Amino acid sequence: MTRLFLVFAFMLGAVAACATGPQYRTNTSYIAPSTTQGATCVASCQTSEQVCRGREDDRSRADYPACMQRAKETYNQCINGYYPAGCDLARQNAEYICNDDLSPSYKSCTRSYDACYESCGGRVIKEEVCVKNCGG
């Protein structure tokens, strides 16, 4: 069952990689608060964001070995199963998932920082910009 799931996940990933829709990036601009007190407040926001990013880095480092071990176990189960020919591909896919899914995500840190920045009197301006397959 695990083998079948890995093969399906790989095929789904391959189809997603072929999608040609537009890709966007969010550009963020920060307008600093106009007061000294606001600037001091923003410095506190920056410290909190750094702590948050450190926690995400630690989480990622801690989860990675276990994920790779699961990939190895799945590979070994596959080799001992009925279709060992696709096992190398399934293992590569599982390792890719470990590398991709366990890379640190700083989204919650950035959201908290932006909210903190605005509570200090600053402004956060976000703009979506098409960067690929924009369609003319």
Coordinates of all heavy atoms in Angstrom, one line a residue, residues 54-127:
G54 N 14.5 30.7 14.1 CA 15.4 29.8 14.8 C 14.6 28.5 15.2 O 15.1 27.4 15.0
R55 N 13.4 28.7 15.7 CA 12.6 27.5 16.1 C 12.2 26.7 14.8 O 12.3 25.5 14.9 CB 11.3 28.0 16.7 CG 11.5 28.3 18.2 CD 10.1 28.4 18.9 NE 9.2 29.4 18.2 CZ 9.0 30.6 18.6 NH1 9.7 31.2 19.6 NH2 8.2 31.4 17.9
E56 N 11.9 27.4 13.7 CA 11.6 26.7 12.5 C 12.8 25.9 12.0 O 12.7 24.7 11.5 CB 11.1 27.6 11.4 CG 9.7 28.1 11.6 CD 8.7 26.9 11.5 OE1 8.8 26.1 10.6 OE2 7.8 26.8 12.4
D57 N 14.0 26.5 12.0 CA 15.2 25.8 11.6 C 15.5 24.6 12.5 O 15.8 23.5 12.0 CB 16.4 26.7 11.8 CG 16.4 27.8 10.7 OD1 15.8 27.7 9.7 OD2 17.1 28.8 11.0
D58 N 15.3 24.7 13.8 CA 15.4 23.6 14.7 C 14.4 22.5 14.4 O 14.8 21.3 14.4 CB 15.3 24.0 16.2 CG 16.4 24.9 16.7 OD1 17.5 25.0 16.0 OD2 16.2 25.6 17.7
R59 N 13.2 22.8 14.2 CA 12.2 21.8 13.9 C 12.5 21.1 12.6 O 12.5 19.8 12.5 CB 10.8 22.5 13.7 CG 9.7 21.5 13.4 CD 8.5 22.1 12.6 NE 8.9 22.9 11.4 CZ 9.1 22.3 10.2 NH1 9.0 21.0 10.1 NH2 9.4 23.1 9.2
S60 N 13.0 21.8 11.6 CA 13.4 21.2 10.3 C 14.5 20.2 10.5 O 14.5 19.1 10.0 CB 13.7 22.2 9.3 OG 14.1 21.7 8.1
R61 N 15.5 20.6 11.2 CA 16.7 19.8 11.5 C 16.3 18.5 12.3 O 16.8 17.4 12.1 CB 17.8 20.5 12.2 CG 18.7 21.4 11.3 CD 19.9 21.9 12.0 NE 19.6 22.8 13.1 CZ 19.4 24.1 13.0 NH1 19.5 24.6 11.8 NH2 19.1 24.8 14.0
A62 N 15.4 18.7 13.2 CA 15.0 17.5 14.1 C 14.1 16.5 13.3 O 14.2 15.3 13.5 CB 14.2 18.1 15.3
D63 N 13.3 17.0 12.4 CA 12.4 16.1 11.7 C 13.0 15.4 10.5 O 12.6 14.3 10.1 CB 11.2 16.9 11.1 CG 10.2 17.4 12.3 OD1 10.4 16.9 13.4 OD2 9.4 18.2 12.0
Y64 N 14.1 16.0 9.9 CA 14.7 15.4 8.7 C 15.2 14.0 8.9 O 14.9 13.1 8.0 CB 15.8 16.4 8.2 CG 16.4 15.9 7.0 CD1 15.8 16.2 5.7 CD2 17.7 15.3 6.9 CE1 16.4 15.8 4.6 CE2 18.2 14.9 5.8 CZ 17.6 15.1 4.6 OH 18.2 14.7 3.4
P65 N 16.0 13.6 9.9 CA 16.5 12.3 10.0 C 15.4 11.2 10.1 O 15.5 10.2 9.4 CB 17.3 12.3 11.3 CG 17.7 13.7 11.5 CD 16.5 14.5 10.9
A66 N 14.3 11.5 10.8 CA 13.2 10.6 10.9 C 12.5 10.4 9.5 O 12.1 9.3 9.2 CB 12.2 11.1 11.9
C67 N 12.3 11.5 8.8 CA 11.7 11.4 7.5 C 12.6 10.5 6.5 O 12.1 9.7 5.8 CB 11.5 12.8 6.9 SG 10.6 12.8 5.3
M68 N 13.9 10.7 6.6 CA 14.8 10.0 5.7 C 14.8 8.5 6.1 O 14.9 7.6 5.3 CB 16.2 10.5 5.7 CG 16.3 11.9 5.1 SD 15.8 11.9 3.3 CE 17.3 11.2 2.6
Q69 N 14.7 8.2 7.4 CA 14.6 6.8 7.9 C 13.3 6.2 7.4 O 13.3 5.0 7.0 CB 14.6 6.8 9.4 CG 14.6 5.4 10.0 CD 15.7 4.5 9.6 OE1 16.9 5.0 9.4 NE2 15.5 3.2 9.4
R70 N 12.2 6.9 7.4 CA 10.9 6.4 6.9 C 11.1 6.1 5.4 O 10.5 5.1 4.9 CB 9.8 7.3 7.1 CG 9.3 7.4 8.6 CD 8.0 8.1 8.8 NE 8.1 9.5 8.3 CZ 8.5 10.5 9.1 NH1 8.9 10.3 10.3 NH2 8.5 11.8 8.6
A71 N 11.8 7.0 4.7 CA 12.0 6.7 3.2 C 12.8 5.5 3.0 O 12.5 4.7 2.1 CB 12.7 8.0 2.6
K72 N 13.8 5.3 3.8 CA 14.6 4.1 3.7 C 13.8 2.8 4.0 O 13.9 1.8 3.3 CB 15.8 4.2 4.7 CG 16.8 3.0 4.6 CD 17.9 3.2 5.6 CE 18.9 2.0 5.5 NZ 20.0 2.2 6.5
E73 N 13.0 2.9 5.0 CA 12.1 1.7 5.4 C 11.1 1.4 4.3 O 10.9 0.2 4.0 CB 11.4 2.0 6.7 CG 12.4 2.0 7.9 CD 11.7 2.5 9.2 OE1 10.5 2.9 9.2 OE2 12.5 2.6 10.2
T74 N 10.6 2.4 3.7 CA 9.6 2.3 2.6 C 10.3 1.6 1.4 O 9.8 0.7 0.8 CB 9.0 3.6 2.2 OG1 8.3 4.1 3.4 CG2 8.0 3.5 1.1
Y75 N 11.5 2.1 1.2 CA 12.3 1.5 0.1 C 12.5 0.0 0.3 O 12.4 -0.8 -0.6 CB 13.6 2.2 -0.1 CG 14.6 1.6 -1.1 CD1 14.3 1.7 -2.4 CD2 15.7 0.9 -0.6 CE1 15.2 1.1 -3.3 CE2 16.6 0.3 -1.5 CZ 16.3 0.4 -2.9 OH 17.2 -0.1 -3.8
N76 N 13.0 -0.3 1.5 CA 13.2 -1.7 1.9 C 12.0 -2.6 1.8 O 12.0 -3.7 1.3 CB 13.8 -1.8 3.3 CG 15.2 -1.3 3.3 OD1 15.9 -1.3 2.3 ND2 15.7 -0.9 4.5
Q77 N 10.8 -2.0 2.2 CA 9.6 -2.8 2.0 C 9.2 -3.0 0.5 O 8.8 -4.0 0.1 CB 8.4 -2.0 2.7 CG 8.5 -2.0 4.2 CD 7.5 -1.1 4.8 OE1 6.7 -0.4 4.2 NE2 7.4 -1.1 6.2
C78 N 9.5 -2.0 -0.2 CA 9.3 -2.0 -1.7 C 10.1 -3.1 -2.3 O 9.6 -3.9 -3.1 CB 9.5 -0.7 -2.3 SG 9.1 -0.6 -4.1
I79 N 11.4 -3.1 -2.0 CA 12.3 -4.1 -2.6 C 11.9 -5.5 -2.3 O 12.0 -6.4 -3.1 CB 13.8 -3.9 -2.0 CG1 14.4 -2.6 -2.6 CG2 14.7 -5.1 -2.3 CD1 14.6 -2.7 -4.1
N80 N 11.3 -5.7 -1.1 CA 10.8 -7.0 -0.7 C 9.4 -7.3 -1.2 O 8.9 -8.4 -0.9 CB 10.9 -7.2 0.8 CG 12.3 -7.1 1.3 OD1 13.2 -7.6 0.7 ND2 12.5 -6.5 2.4
G81 N 8.8 -6.4 -1.9 CA 7.5 -6.5 -2.4 C 7.4 -7.1 -3.8 O 8.3 -7.7 -4.3
Y82 N 6.3 -6.9 -4.5 CA 6.0 -7.5 -5.8 C 6.6 -6.7 -6.9 O 6.9 -7.3 -8.0 CB 4.5 -7.6 -6.0 CG 3.8 -8.5 -5.0 CD1 3.0 -7.9 -4.0 CD2 4.0 -9.8 -5.1 CE1 2.4 -8.8 -3.1 CE2 3.4 -10.7 -4.2 CZ 2.6 -10.2 -3.2 OH 2.0 -11.0 -2.3
Y83 N 6.9 -5.4 -6.8 CA 7.3 -4.6 -7.9 C 8.6 -3.9 -7.6 O 8.6 -2.7 -7.5 CB 6.3 -3.6 -8.4 CG 5.0 -4.3 -8.7 CD1 3.9 -4.2 -7.9 CD2 4.8 -4.9 -9.9 CE1 2.7 -4.8 -8.2 CE2 3.6 -5.5 -10.3 CZ 2.5 -5.5 -9.4 OH 1.4 -6.0 -9.7
P84 N 9.7 -4.6 -7.4 CA 11.0 -3.9 -7.0 C 11.5 -3.0 -8.1 O 12.4 -2.1 -7.8 CB 11.9 -5.0 -6.7 CG 11.4 -6.2 -7.4 CD 9.9 -6.0 -7.5
A85 N 11.1 -3.1 -9.3 CA 11.6 -2.3 -10.4 C 11.4 -0.8 -10.2 O 12.2 0.1 -10.6 CB 11.0 -2.7 -11.8
G86 N 10.3 -0.4 -9.6 CA 10.0 1.0 -9.3 C 10.5 1.6 -8.0 O 10.2 2.7 -7.7
C87 N 11.2 0.8 -7.2 CA 11.5 1.2 -5.9 C 12.5 2.3 -5.8 O 12.4 3.2 -5.0 CB 12.1 0.0 -5.1 SG 10.8 -1.3 -4.8
D88 N 13.5 2.3 -6.7 CA 14.5 3.4 -6.7 C 13.8 4.8 -7.0 O 14.1 5.8 -6.3 CB 15.6 3.2 -7.8 CG 16.5 2.1 -7.4 OD1 16.7 1.9 -6.2 OD2 17.1 1.5 -8.3
L89 N 12.8 4.8 -7.9 CA 12.1 6.0 -8.2 C 11.2 6.4 -7.0 O 11.2 7.6 -6.6 CB 11.2 5.8 -9.4 CG 10.5 7.0 -10.0 CD1 11.5 8.0 -10.4 CD2 9.7 6.6 -11.2
A90 N 10.6 5.4 -6.3 CA 9.8 5.7 -5.1 C 10.7 6.3 -4.0 O 10.3 7.2 -3.3 CB 9.1 4.5 -4.7
R91 N 11.9 5.7 -3.8 CA 12.8 6.2 -2.8 C 13.2 7.6 -3.1 O 13.2 8.5 -2.2 CB 14.0 5.3 -2.7 CG 14.9 5.7 -1.5 CD 16.3 5.1 -1.6 NE 17.0 5.8 -2.6 CZ 17.7 5.3 -3.5 NH1 17.9 4.0 -3.6 NH2 18.3 6.0 -4.5
Q92 N 13.6 7.9 -4.4 CA 14.0 9.2 -4.7 C 12.8 10.2 -4.5 O 13.1 11.3 -4.0 CB 14.4 9.3 -6.2 CG 15.7 8.6 -6.5 CD 15.9 8.5 -8.0 OE1 15.1 8.9 -8.8 NE2 17.1 7.8 -8.3
N93 N 11.6 9.8 -4.8 CA 10.5 10.7 -4.5 C 10.3 10.9 -3.0 O 10.0 12.1 -2.6 CB 9.2 10.1 -5.1 CG 8.0 11.0 -5.0 OD1 8.1 12.2 -5.4 ND2 6.9 10.5 -4.4
A94 N 10.4 9.9 -2.2 CA 10.3 10.0 -0.8 C 11.4 10.9 -0.2 O 11.1 11.8 0.7 CB 10.3 8.7 -0.1
E95 N 12.6 10.8 -0.7 CA 13.7 11.7 -0.2 C 13.4 13.1 -0.7 O 13.7 14.1 0.1 CB 15.0 11.2 -0.7 CG 15.4 9.9 -0.1 CD 16.7 9.3 -0.6 OE1 17.2 9.8 -1.6 OE2 17.1 8.2 -0.1
Y96 N 12.9 13.3 -1.9 CA 12.6 14.6 -2.4 C 11.5 15.3 -1.4 O 11.6 16.5 -1.1 CB 12.0 14.6 -3.8 CG 11.5 15.9 -4.3 CD1 12.4 16.9 -4.7 CD2 10.1 16.2 -4.3 CE1 11.9 18.1 -5.2 CE2 9.6 17.4 -4.7 CZ 10.5 18.3 -5.1 OH 10.0 19.6 -5.6
I97 N 10.5 14.5 -1.0 CA 9.5 15.0 -0.1 C 10.1 15.4 1.2 O 9.8 16.5 1.7 CB 8.4 13.9 0.1 CG1 7.6 13.8 -1.2 CG2 7.5 14.3 1.2 CD1 6.6 12.6 -1.2
C98 N 11.1 14.6 1.7 CA 11.7 15.0 2.9 C 12.5 16.3 2.8 O 12.4 17.2 3.6 CB 12.8 13.9 3.4 SG 12.0 12.4 4.0
N99 N 13.2 16.5 1.7 CA 13.9 17.7 1.4 C 13.0 18.9 1.2 O 13.3 20.0 1.7 CB 14.9 17.5 0.2 CG 16.0 16.6 0.5 OD1 16.6 16.6 1.6 ND2 16.4 15.8 -0.5
D100 N 11.9 18.7 0.5 CA 11.0 19.8 0.2 C 10.1 20.2 1.4 O 10.0 21.3 1.8 CB 10.2 19.5 -1.0 CG 9.4 20.6 -1.5 OD1 10.0 21.7 -1.7 OD2 8.2 20.5 -1.7
D101 N 9.4 19.1 2.0 CA 8.5 19.4 3.0 C 9.1 19.8 4.3 O 8.5 20.5 5.1 CB 7.6 18.2 3.2 CG 6.6 17.9 2.1 OD1 6.5 18.8 1.3 OD2 5.9 16.9 2.1
L102 N 10.3 19.4 4.6 CA 11.0 19.7 5.8 C 11.9 20.9 5.8 O 12.6 21.2 6.8 CB 11.7 18.4 6.4 CG 10.8 17.3 6.7 CD1 11.6 16.1 7.2 CD2 9.7 17.6 7.7
S103 N 12.0 21.5 4.7 CA 12.7 22.8 4.7 C 11.9 23.8 5.5 O 10.7 23.8 5.5 CB 12.9 23.3 3.2 OG 11.7 23.5 2.6
P104 N 12.6 24.6 6.2 CA 11.9 25.5 7.1 C 10.9 26.4 6.4 O 11.2 26.9 5.3 CB 13.0 26.4 7.7 CG 14.3 25.7 7.5 CD 14.1 24.8 6.2
S105 N 9.8 26.6 7.0 CA 8.8 27.5 6.5 C 8.7 28.6 7.5 O 8.4 28.5 8.6 CB 7.4 26.8 6.4 OG 6.4 27.8 6.0
Y106 N 8.9 29.8 6.9 CA 8.9 31.0 7.8 C 7.6 31.8 7.6 O 7.6 33.0 8.1 CB 10.1 31.9 7.5 CG 11.4 31.1 7.6 CD1 12.3 31.0 6.5 CD2 11.8 30.6 8.8 CE1 13.5 30.4 6.6 CE2 13.1 30.0 8.9 CZ 13.9 29.8 7.8 OH 15.1 29.2 7.9
K107 N 6.6 31.2 7.0 CA 5.4 32.0 6.7 C 4.7 32.5 8.0 O 4.3 33.7 8.1 CB 4.4 31.1 6.0 CG 4.7 30.8 4.6 CD 3.7 30.0 3.9 CE 4.2 29.6 2.5 NZ 3.2 28.7 1.8
S108 N 4.6 31.7 9.0 CA 4.0 32.2 10.3 C 4.9 33.3 10.9 O 4.4 34.2 11.5 CB 3.8 31.0 11.3 OG 5.0 30.5 11.7
C109 N 6.2 33.1 10.8 CA 7.1 34.1 11.4 C 6.9 35.5 10.6 O 6.9 36.5 11.3 CB 8.6 33.7 11.2 SG 9.0 32.1 12.0
T110 N 6.8 35.4 9.3 CA 6.6 36.6 8.5 C 5.3 37.3 8.8 O 5.2 38.5 9.0 CB 6.7 36.3 7.0 OG1 8.0 35.7 6.8 CG2 6.6 37.5 6.2
R111 N 4.2 36.5 8.9 CA 2.9 37.0 9.3 C 2.9 37.7 10.6 O 2.4 38.8 10.8 CB 1.8 35.9 9.3 CG 1.3 35.6 7.9 CD 0.1 34.7 7.9 NE 0.2 33.5 8.7 CZ 0.6 32.3 8.1 NH1 0.8 32.2 6.8 NH2 0.7 31.2 8.9
S112 N 3.6 37.1 11.6 CA 3.7 37.7 12.9 C 4.5 39.0 12.9 O 4.1 40.0 13.5 CB 4.3 36.7 13.9 OG 3.5 35.6 14.1
Y113 N 5.6 38.9 12.1 CA 6.4 40.1 12.0 C 5.6 41.3 11.4 O 5.7 42.4 11.9 CB 7.7 39.8 11.2 CG 8.5 41.1 11.0 CD1 9.3 41.6 12.0 CD2 8.4 41.8 9.7 CE1 10.1 42.8 11.7 CE2 9.2 42.9 9.5 CZ 10.0 43.4 10.5 OH 10.7 44.6 10.3
D114 N 4.9 41.0 10.3 CA 4.2 42.0 9.6 C 3.1 42.6 10.6 O 2.9 43.9 10.6 CB 3.5 41.5 8.4 CG 4.5 41.2 7.3 OD1 5.7 41.5 7.4 OD2 4.1 40.5 6.3
A115 N 2.4 41.8 11.3 CA 1.4 42.3 12.3 C 2.0 43.1 13.4 O 1.5 44.2 13.7 CB 0.6 41.1 12.9
C116 N 3.2 42.7 13.8 CA 3.9 43.4 14.9 C 4.4 44.8 14.3 O 4.2 45.8 15.0 CB 5.1 42.6 15.3 SG 6.1 43.3 16.7
Y117 N 4.9 44.8 13.1 CA 5.4 46.0 12.4 C 4.3 47.0 12.3 O 4.5 48.2 12.6 CB 5.9 45.6 11.1 CG 6.7 46.7 10.4 CD1 8.1 46.7 10.5 CD2 6.1 47.7 9.6 CE1 8.9 47.7 9.9 CE2 6.9 48.6 9.0 CZ 8.3 48.6 9.1 OH 9.0 49.6 8.5
E118 N 3.1 46.5 11.9 CA 2.0 47.5 11.8 C 1.5 48.0 13.1 O 1.1 49.1 13.3 CB 0.8 46.8 11.0 CG 1.2 46.6 9.5 CD 0.1 46.0 8.7 OE1 -0.6 45.1 9.2 OE2 -0.1 46.4 7.6
S119 N 1.6 47.1 14.2 CA 1.1 47.5 15.5 C 2.1 48.6 16.1 O 1.7 49.3 17.0 CB 1.0 46.3 16.4 OG 2.3 45.9 16.8
C120 N 3.3 48.6 15.5 CA 4.3 49.6 15.9 C 4.1 51.0 15.2 O 4.8 51.9 15.5 CB 5.7 49.1 15.7 SG 6.2 47.7 16.7
G121 N 3.2 51.0 14.3 CA 2.9 52.3 13.5 C 3.5 52.3 12.1 O 3.3 53.2 11.4
G122 N 4.1 51.2 11.7 CA 4.6 51.1 10.4 C 3.5 50.6 9.4 O 2.4 50.2 9.8
R123 N 3.8 50.6 8.1 CA 2.9 50.1 7.1 C 3.6 49.0 6.3 O 4.8 49.0 6.0 CB 2.5 51.2 6.2 CG 1.5 52.2 6.8 CD 0.9 53.2 5.9 NE 0.5 52.6 4.6 CZ 0.7 53.3 3.4 NH1 1.2 54.5 3.4 NH2 0.3 52.7 2.3
V124 N 2.8 47.9 6.1 CA 3.3 46.8 5.3 C 2.4 46.8 4.0 O 1.2 46.7 4.0 CB 3.1 45.5 6.0 CG1 3.6 44.3 5.2 CG2 3.9 45.5 7.3
I125 N 3.1 46.9 2.8 CA 2.4 46.9 1.6 C 2.8 45.6 0.8 O 4.0 45.4 0.5 CB 2.8 48.2 0.8 CG1 2.4 49.4 1.6 CG2 2.1 48.1 -0.6 CD1 2.9 50.7 1.0
K126 N 1.9 44.8 0.4 CA 2.1 43.6 -0.4 C 1.6 43.8 -1.8 O 0.5 44.3 -2.0 CB 1.5 42.4 0.3 CG 2.1 42.1 1.7 CD 1.6 40.8 2.3 CE 2.3 40.6 3.6 NZ 3.6 40.1 3.5
E127 N 2.3 43.3 -2.7 CA 1.9 43.4 -4.1 C 2.3 42.1 -4.8 O 3.4 41.6 -4.7 CB 2.7 44.5 -4.8 CG 2.4 44.7 -6.3 CD 3.2 45.7 -6.9 OE1 4.2 46.2 -6.4 OE2 2.9 46.1 -8.0

